[in-house]
Amino acid sequence: MKGIFKYIKQYRIQFIVSLLCIVVVSFLVSYTPIVESGIINYLQEVLDKGIAFDPNVILRIVITLIIMYVAIASIRLFYNMLLTTAIQNMMKSIRNDVQAKIHRMPIRYFDNNPIGDVMSRMINDVESLSNGFQQAFAAIFSAVLQITLIIVLMFVAVTWQFGLIALAMFPIIFIISKVILKLSGPLYSERFRMYGDLTANLQEQYTGYKEISLFNKQADSEAMFEDLMLNLSEKTFKSDFISGLLNPLIFAVTYITLVVVAVVGGVLSFNSLITFGALHAGIRYIWRLANPITQVTQMSVVVQSSIAAGKRVFDFLNEAEELPDFDPAETVTDLKGHIEFKDVSFSYNKQRQILKHLNFEAKPGEMIAIVGPTGSGKTTIINLLMRFYDVNKGEILLDGVNINHIKKDELRTHFGMVLQDTWLFKGSIADNIKYGYDEATMEEIMEAAKTANIDHYINTLPHGYDMVINEEGDNISQGEKQLLTIARAFLANPAILILDEATSTVDTRLELMLQEAMRKIMEGRTSFVIAHRLSTIRNADKIIVLRDGEIIEMGNHEELIAQQGFYEDLYNSQFEEEE
């Protein structure tokens, strides 16, 4: 929570002015019982001394009280507006920083953390932090100040006996509060963690609802959700119930203190040691103490909730970011697309080595196919090429320049990438195709679509290229989505094209057509293709065969078949499966 002070500093003038206003209001609120007791003291003086009653004295006191109450209300209105503006601007800054942080995070973070949990931090936790500041900041400061002023005034303006009695209640309240907060604090932390788990589960179940329906797992999905909800409900109930014990316990202490003040005050008043006005002020002050003490305890629940939420937000903001670009960065001019892997090794964690001493070369314009069983490291090679991850050992060269020495933004402009998992956004088909090249003309968009064999299909749709893809992207088929992403990559006109299972969702006939189109488009450009359908990569200039993170065979299709090794077995197995 230390990070919050950075944001408070940005609006320190508003906070300082608000705090000064709270000081003035707290003093006025604390002083009103003294002014009120003036009426009782005057009436007692009239009765005891037999002096003539002067209504102007009462009128002056009433006018003074009215002025004080109007001043209190006006100042509260002013600082509430000021404070609300400052807090909401501060929360806006936090939300902007969280959003900006996402774009500076390494891919590793999102691979290791559920998307739902990240979304929960951005939305639920930031909102809880905002509510905590809005409700608790002024309330706690005002309450603590009022408690202090009331105790001081009881000693100075009433009687020291009442001051001691009031002070005696605080150790009891402190012990009660400490026990309650110690019990409820961990429950709130666990509660917010479970909010993240619940959001992650909802996101997972929603994106996989077709598979859930296909395998009739609705009951299992409901049971999993119910289990999460029961655990969350249990933590919510326990945290709220334990925190809720504070108020009745503190009120009990306040009532006991009030009885003691009434008894002691009655004895002192009977012996003429204090006036009835002082007794009235003492009782009023004890009642006044109950309100700020209750405020503090009530806000402690909000504060605990905000601390738990804020910790998650600032833990995210403090996460290690993507490593900065090499300084001074190198650039590649007149890019040819010559790529070399030199003794490259990589692991996502220390437990398992994914790639081991890879050495191969992709000459300009070559089509490089990467094949191998699941888990052999095919996609990892692509992750390293795009610098989603950096190599642990060795180097990758682009036209002789180590890609770790090139700025990531510049490096990625040279690559076009089409993944097995398509991503389209809500917008027109034309906007989705030109996503990687904003300046594209309609003619260029249509040409890219023709190359990807999707133009005819688009023209059959309502509104054609202007048809809007909805948020779920379910108003076009999966294969058509894939073709649109291929058209997008073509339009970006990259020097190097990466296809990671890019044609896995289209039929074989269309895939062959795409291969022919890609050969035309990629003439003079380097391309990397990962495919399980080995029949589609027969024309690759070089096929790299991976197993357990090592290159075990390398060559073109005819050379590898002639070797009668692992590739031949892999190639022939797909026809056996089709039979």
Side-chain angles (χ1 to χ4, degrees):
M1 286 296 288
K2 292 180 181 178
I4 196 68
F5 294 108
K6 178 183 79 172
Y7 297 94
I8 292 176
K9 285 180 182 178
Q10 297 176 14
Y11 304 97
R12 57 183 176 273
I13 301 299
Q14 292 96 317
F15 280 107
I16 290 171
V17 173
S18 298
L19 293 177
L20 290 175
C21 290
I22 293 172
V23 170
V24 174
V25 169
S26 298
F27 177 78
L28 292 174
V29 169
S30 302
Y31 197 73
T32 51
I34 300 295
V35 180
E36 291 169 358
S37 65
I39 297 174
I40 297 174
N41 288 334
Y42 176 70
L43 293 175
Q44 184 180 7
E45 187 177 350
V46 170
L47 293 173
D48 292 345
K49 298 181 180 179
I51 61 177
F53 175 75
D54 185 0
N56 291 326
V57 175
I58 303 297
L59 183 61
R60 282 196 297 269
I61 296 174
V62 170
I63 292 173
T64 302
L65 285 171
I66 291 172
I67 293 172
M68 292 176 71
Y69 290 139
V70 170
I72 289 169
S74 301
I75 297 172
R76 272 182 175 162
L77 177 64
F78 172 73
Y79 81 67
N80 276 328
M81 291 175 58
L82 193 64
L83 204 55
T84 298
T85 302
I87 289 172
Q88 292 310 312
N89 284 334
M90 187 174 73
M91 290 304 140
K92 179 182 176 183
S93 298
I94 292 176
R95 288 188 179 95
N96 288 338
D97 286 352
V98 169
Q99 172 65 17
K101 178 77 174 185
I102 288 176
H103 300 293
R104 299 195 301 270
M105 296 294 285
I107 299 295
R108 184 187 302 273
Y109 180 84
F110 299 102
D111 287 344
N112 296 333
N113 292 273
I115 297 299
D117 183 64
V118 177
M119 291 174 63
S120 181
R121 292 174 191 251
M122 292 179 61
I123 301 171
N124 297 337
D125 294 341
V126 172
E127 188 62 27
S128 180
L129 184 62
S130 173
N131 291 338
F133 254 91
Q134 191 67 53
Q135 296 176 38
F137 183 84
I140 290 179
F141 182 78
S142 175
V144 171
L145 198 59
Q146 283 185 43
I147 291 169
T148 305
L149 287 170
I150 287 171
I151 297 296
V152 170
L153 288 170
M154 286 182 79
F155 273 104
V156 174
V158 185
T159 177
W160 61 269
Q161 289 94 333
F162 287 174
L164 288 177
I165 294 170
L167 281 177
M169 65 189 288
F170 283 98
I172 302 171
I173 291 173
F174 175 77
I175 293 170
I176 293 172
S177 300
K178 186 175 181 181
V179 172
I180 296 297
L181 296 179
K182 186 177 181 181
L183 291 172
S184 60
L187 292 173
Y188 274 101
S189 297
E190 183 68 11
R191 175 174 163 178
F192 275 92
R193 185 192 66 77
M194 294 188 72
Y195 272 127
D197 292 345
L198 181 64
T199 307
N201 175 263
L202 288 171
Q203 189 264 344
E204 181 183 80
Q205 299 300 310
Y206 180 74
T207 54
Y209 75 94
K210 291 181 181 177
E211 287 77 8
I212 292 171
S213 300
L214 174 65
F215 293 102
N216 294 317
K217 292 292 184 180
Q218 294 93 330
D220 292 345
S221 178
E222 289 176 8
M224 186 185 300
F225 180 78
E226 185 177 355
D227 186 54
L228 284 169
M229 281 300 299
L230 285 173
N231 289 332
L232 178 59
S233 298
E234 181 184 349
K235 291 294 185 296
T236 302
F237 172 78
K238 285 182 178 179
S239 58
D240 287 347
F241 176 77
I242 293 174
S243 297
L245 292 175
L246 269 174
N247 277 355
L249 290 173
I250 288 171
F251 268 113
V253 174
T254 304
Y255 288 140
I256 293 170
T257 306
L258 192 63
V259 171
V260 173
V261 167
V263 172
V264 172
V267 172
L268 293 174
S269 179
F270 183 77
N271 293 313
S272 301
L273 296 175
I274 61 171
T275 64
F276 283 113
L279 177 59
H280 164 80
I283 293 173
R284 286 277 288 151
Y285 272 134
I286 294 298
W287 274 114
R288 284 289 176 89
L289 272 177
N291 185 49
I293 290 173
T294 304
Q295 264 192 329
V296 171
T297 54
Q298 285 178 337
M299 288 300 108
S300 66
V301 177
V302 178
V303 169
Q304 278 189 311
S305 176
S306 297
I307 288 174
K311 184 179 184 303
R312 284 168 50 81
V313 173
F314 289 106
D315 281 349
F316 176 74
L317 289 173
N318 293 328
E319 283 284 347
E321 297 181 2
E322 202 167 25
L323 294 175
D325 289 316
F326 185 81
D327 189 22
E330 298 184 45
T331 58
V332 179
T333 56
D334 190 24
L335 184 71
K336 296 180 175 61
H338 184 200
I339 292 176
E340 296 176 84
F341 274 62
K342 291 190 173 182
D343 195 32
V344 171
S345 296
F346 176 78
S347 63
Y348 292 103
N349 52 58
K350 296 179 180 179
Q351 284 71 37
R352 183 187 171 207
Q353 191 83 354
I354 302 298
L355 299 178
K356 307 165 188 174
H357 307 289
L358 262 59
N359 288 280
F360 68 87
E361 179 182 15
K363 294 179 181 178
E366 282 191 335
M367 176 183 174
I368 309 297
I370 305 172
V371 302
T374 301
S376 59
K378 303 185 295 295
T379 300
T380 301
I381 289 177
I382 305 306
N383 286 338
L384 296 180
L385 267 176
M386 297 292 292
R387 284 197 67 193
F388 294 149
Y389 293 85
D390 288 330
V391 299
N392 300 139
K393 182 184 176 184
E395 59 182 0
I396 302 173
L397 304 181
L398 174 60
D399 286 1
V401 179
N402 189 329
I403 64 171
N404 283 5
H405 297 173
I406 304 173
K407 288 184 177 180
K408 295 184 182 73
D409 291 347
E410 180 187 341
L411 175 71
R412 290 166 187 165
T413 60
H414 302 313
F415 286 85
M417 192 170 183
V418 181
L419 301 174
Q420 181 179 8
D421 297 324
T422 58
W423 179 79
L424 299 174
F425 56 88
K426 183 180 180 181
S428 70
I429 287 177
D431 287 340
N432 271 276
I433 293 176
K434 71 172 187 177
Y435 184 72
Y437 181 36
D438 293 333
E439 293 77 21
T441 63
M442 199 62 211
E443 289 74 18
E444 290 172 325
I445 293 171
M446 294 173 67
E447 186 62 33
K450 289 175 183 176
T451 306
N453 292 308
I454 190 68
D455 175 69
H456 175 72
Y457 168 75
I458 295 172
N459 287 321
T460 65
L461 296 172
H463 311 296
Y465 283 86
D466 292 324
M467 192 194 92
V468 175
I469 297 172
N470 61 27
E471 291 179 355
E472 292 79 18
D474 57 7
N475 54 344
I476 59 173
S477 73
Q478 183 62 35
E480 288 145 6
K481 289 181 188 178
Q482 195 73 69
L483 293 174
L484 287 176
T485 59
I486 292 172
R488 176 194 291 167
F490 288 161
L491 183 60
N493 194 26
I496 305 164
L497 183 63
I498 295 173
L499 302 170
D500 187 353
E501 302 289 354
T503 57
S504 60
T505 53
V506 299
D507 58 52
T508 305
R509 174 180 169 276
L510 188 53
E511 188 169 29
L512 292 172
M513 294 171 61
L514 282 170
Q515 293 295 330
E516 181 62 30
M518 283 189 287
R519 276 193 289 274
K520 294 177 182 177
I521 293 294
M522 294 307 297
E523 186 175 346
R525 296 178 175 85
T526 309
S527 61
F528 290 84
V529 179
I530 296 176
H532 282 306
R533 294 180 187 173
L534 302 188
S535 58
T536 63
I537 58 168
R538 292 185 56 170
N539 295 324
D541 297 294
K542 187 180 294 179
I543 300 172
I544 296 170
V545 185
L546 291 176
R547 185 170 62 184
D548 298 327
E550 296 181 283
I551 297 176
I552 57 172
E553 296 174 6
M554 185 161 53
N556 60 34
H557 175 74
E558 289 75 16
E559 291 170 346
L560 293 177
I561 292 293
Q563 291 178 19
Q564 297 183 344
F566 185 80
Y567 177 79
E568 185 197 30
D569 292 340
L570 202 63
Y571 183 78
N572 291 330
S573 66
Q574 68 181 348
F575 299 108
E576 294 172 4
E577 290 172 2
E578 289 175 2
E579 293 174 1

